[in-house]
Amino acid sequence: MFKKKINSLDRSTNVDIFIKRPDKYREIENFSLSADNLITMGACTSYTPASFKKNNLSLLFTKFDRIINFDKVNKTITVEAGIKLSSLLNFTLKENLWLPQIPGYPLITLGGAVAANTHGKSSDTHGTIRNQIKSILIFHKTHGWMNLSDKENKSIFDLTIGGFGLTGTIVNVELELIEITGYNFTTTIEKVTSTKNAVEKLSKKDFTNLFSYSWNKTFNKKFGEGLIFNNKINENEKKLPIKKMNFKNNNLNKYFALNLWNKYSIKFFQSIYYNYFTIYKNKTNNDSFENVLFPYAGKETYFHMYGQKGFIESQLLVPLDKVDLFLDELEHLINVNEPEIVLFSIKKIIGKELFLRFENTGICFTFDFSKNEKNLNFLDKLDILCIKHSVKPSIIKDSRLNSNTIKKCYNDFENFKKNLSEFDNKKIYRSELSDRIGI
């Protein structure tokens, strides 16, 4: 065991924790049984402090990264939860299979993706990772080893997916894989004139595109003017052999001494980005699998530029029938308060609500902010707007969110809390995140 000072990626939290790194199954048991409270840690790339708590134990799962079983005929694979998503894909892609619900950074672990119920760029086709999970093996200090699935311990299975690691240590996961016909993409780019124009286009699903998402300006007379990126498999390169993806650990937690994002730098970079794609790039381009799937890999400087105070990401899931009214009030709120929004992106998500999962059928809006008083005041008002329109803010992305906001935005908050308490009334598995939101 060793002690370490650790930051959440958004730099909202900086605390000392204790770490143990098991590499045998009996060590998971022994380390868990000897701790009063603990939580499991994968790559520690969550924006919020979901995998640690001050002066508590985190089980670092980096040595549990093995493939246990692969059934090509039935397209299933069982792997340990510490495997990195890029390593999992390196194996499955050779068999023309993949896991589509991949978030945008390659070093995230599978266990972390399950605990957060992640989605990827194909969220309007494949929904969240929940759709691919057949079974989970966990270890809980009180309940021991438990197999979870729709047929066995279903109530705990449902609590575990998107349960932030609070039902115990996710050890193994069995996944149902999906066929993929190629490894490189053709990307087409189209302009949009406003946020509503982007939503309109993204709502009309074109099934020839595997991914569709937008990038939008925030400092412009027409708020939301921007680009939609459509990615589909490159038909001319289907037979090319897949190249193994290799990603360096470029230390996401580095930061510059000062925050370099302000209204002038944001406007400058947004203009450069927009003009690059509208003037210098072709409307149709070839792109690699890793560039499309992992846009932040190799671009970690983006996070470093927020400086020591860090950043806030507000990711909002708006029900389809509330989108137009929500956008009218959001744009009014932005015009009045003039927040400094560094990044704005839109995509569609499909799914069903349950517990604290960031899942439903609706439009997902993502905003990145530097951390300053003006932006924080705006975000407080945005919380009120979310409550008014039954909008879900992502718990795993925004470290500001308090219990009151989440209770009002997640209909199943009390059910999740009640069911978790019945399973673990001692609250053995805890993190800074779980304490903050009161579960």
Side-chain angles (χ1 to χ4, degrees):
M1 182 167 69
F2 59 95
K3 191 173 185 178
K4 183 177 180 180
K5 186 173 286 294
I6 196 160
N7 287 294
S8 56
L9 182 57
D10 64 5
R11 288 184 285 285
S12 65
T13 309
N14 178 271
V15 294
D16 290 320
I17 66 168
F18 295 96
I19 293 177
K20 288 184 178 179
R21 184 186 287 119
D23 67 353
K24 299 179 178 66
Y25 283 69
R26 66 174 177 270
E27 289 184 345
I28 296 174
E29 296 180 9
N30 294 338
F31 294 166
S32 301
L33 292 171
S34 65
D36 293 328
N37 294 106
L38 71 152
I39 196 74
T40 313
M41 177 180 289
C44 199
T45 52
S46 295
Y47 289 8
T48 57
S51 62
F52 60 86
K53 174 176 165 54
K54 183 178 180 180
N55 294 327
N56 273 22
L57 176 66
S58 289
L59 289 186
L60 183 58
F61 235 54
T62 51
K63 292 186 178 180
F64 280 79
D65 61 351
R66 291 158 286 206
I67 296 170
I68 297 170
N69 184 59
F70 174 61
D71 184 339
K72 186 173 182 178
V73 174
N74 292 308
K75 303 172 188 173
T76 62
I77 190 169
T78 303
V79 292
E80 292 176 330
I83 193 169
K84 294 179 177 64
L85 294 177
S86 56
S87 299
L88 174 62
L89 287 173
N90 276 333
F91 178 87
T92 64
L93 287 173
K94 291 185 295 184
E95 308 294 338
N96 300 315
L97 297 167
W98 74 314
L99 176 70
Q101 299 92 344
I102 298 288
Y105 199 68
L107 304 184
I108 294 169
T109 62
L110 178 60
V114 172
N117 190 36
T118 60
H119 61 271
K121 290 181 178 179
S122 65
S123 53
D124 61 338
T125 302
H126 298 113
T128 67
I129 197 171
R130 170 185 62 83
N131 294 318
Q132 310 313 129
I133 299 171
K134 291 180 67 67
S135 66
I136 303 170
L137 174 67
I138 67 167
F139 182 80
H140 189 279
K141 178 180 176 178
T142 301
H143 300 285
W145 294 97
M146 296 184 69
N147 291 306
L148 314 178
S149 69
D150 275 331
K151 298 179 180 178
E152 189 174 6
N153 298 306
K154 178 173 168 49
S155 61
I156 311 307
F157 181 63
D158 289 338
L159 279 176
T160 299
I161 300 171
F164 309 115
L166 303 178
T167 59
T169 296
I170 298 172
V171 181
N172 298 341
V173 183
E174 181 187 9
L175 299 165
E176 183 176 355
L177 301 172
I178 291 177
E179 288 187 10
I180 188 167
T181 58
Y183 313 115
N184 290 295
F185 290 92
T186 298
T187 300
T188 58
I189 303 166
E190 55 181 314
K191 295 180 184 179
V192 290
T193 57
S194 67
T195 304
K196 285 189 176 181
N197 184 218
V199 169
E200 181 185 4
K201 289 179 179 291
L202 290 168
S203 297
K204 296 176 182 177
K205 175 65 181 174
D206 180 353
F207 288 96
T208 62
N209 294 318
L210 194 54
F211 307 133
S212 292
Y213 50 94
S214 77
W215 171 91
N216 305 80
K217 293 183 186 180
T218 60
F219 277 95
N220 200 52
K221 290 180 180 179
K222 296 179 181 178
F223 180 83
E225 179 186 24
L227 308 167
I228 286 181
F229 295 87
N230 297 303
N231 308 121
K232 64 181 179 180
I233 298 296
N234 189 330
E235 297 293 329
N236 297 322
E237 297 187 5
K238 279 187 175 181
K239 296 182 180 180
L240 291 179
I242 181 67
K243 295 179 181 178
K244 184 177 180 180
M245 294 179 287
N246 291 301
F247 296 99
K248 295 179 181 178
N249 189 350
N250 287 324
N251 196 350
L252 281 167
N253 281 301
K254 288 180 179 177
Y255 54 84
F256 297 150
L258 298 173
N259 171 34
L260 300 182
W261 294 115
N262 55 55
K263 64 181 181 180
Y264 302 108
S265 61
I266 295 169
K267 189 171 184 179
F268 173 77
F269 278 104
Q270 288 184 356
S271 296
I272 294 292
Y273 190 86
Y274 183 80
N275 289 333
Y276 173 72
F277 281 103
T278 56
I279 298 174
Y280 298 105
K281 287 282 275 187
N282 295 325
K283 288 185 177 180
T284 302
N285 303 279
N286 293 333
D287 216 338
S288 68
F289 185 90
E290 55 263 43
N291 284 344
V292 169
L293 231 67
F294 301 119
Y296 285 119
K299 302 177 183 68
E300 291 82 359
T301 301
Y302 168 76
F303 297 103
H304 304 165
M305 289 175 68
Y306 284 97
Q308 188 172 1
K309 289 185 178 180
F311 66 96
I312 303 161
E313 179 159 301
S314 177
Q315 190 171 64
L316 309 175
L317 181 50
V318 185
L320 290 176
D321 61 346
K322 301 286 185 71
V323 170
D324 282 347
L325 184 56
F326 175 80
L327 283 178
D328 288 340
E329 295 190 34
L330 172 65
E331 292 195 18
H332 174 73
L333 198 64
I334 288 171
N335 289 334
V336 171
N337 292 273
E338 298 183 337
E340 296 169 356
I341 305 171
V342 181
L343 177 69
F344 175 25
S345 182
I346 309 169
K347 59 190 169 188
K348 186 180 177 184
I349 293 181
I350 58 170
K352 296 180 180 179
E353 293 183 85
L354 185 65
F355 295 140
L356 301 184
R357 297 174 185 169
F358 186 74
E359 184 176 356
N360 198 357
T361 295
I363 303 296
C364 176
F365 299 92
T366 301
F367 303 94
D368 283 2
F369 303 84
S370 54
K371 200 175 293 181
N372 59 43
E373 186 176 355
K374 177 198 282 189
N375 290 339
L376 289 169
N377 288 336
F378 168 79
L379 285 162
D380 287 343
K381 295 172 184 175
L382 182 58
D383 290 343
I384 296 169
L385 194 61
C386 289
I387 293 167
K388 177 180 178 181
H389 294 289
S390 304
V391 171
K392 289 183 185 298
S394 174
I395 297 169
I396 200 69
K397 291 292 182 73
D398 189 348
S399 292
R400 298 175 314 106
L401 295 172
N402 57 41
S403 181
N404 181 59
T405 300
I406 293 167
K407 281 180 184 178
K408 292 177 179 178
C409 292
Y410 283 80
N411 295 327
D412 256 356
F413 178 89
E414 293 297 344
N415 284 335
F416 180 87
K417 186 175 180 178
K418 174 179 173 288
N419 292 357
L420 181 63
S421 179
E422 288 174 354
F423 178 65
D424 179 8
N425 61 9
K426 295 181 180 178
K427 294 177 68 173
I428 294 168
Y429 293 82
R430 297 174 64 180
S431 66
E432 294 287 335
L433 181 153
S434 69
D435 282 4
R436 172 171 48 82
I437 66 174
I439 54 176

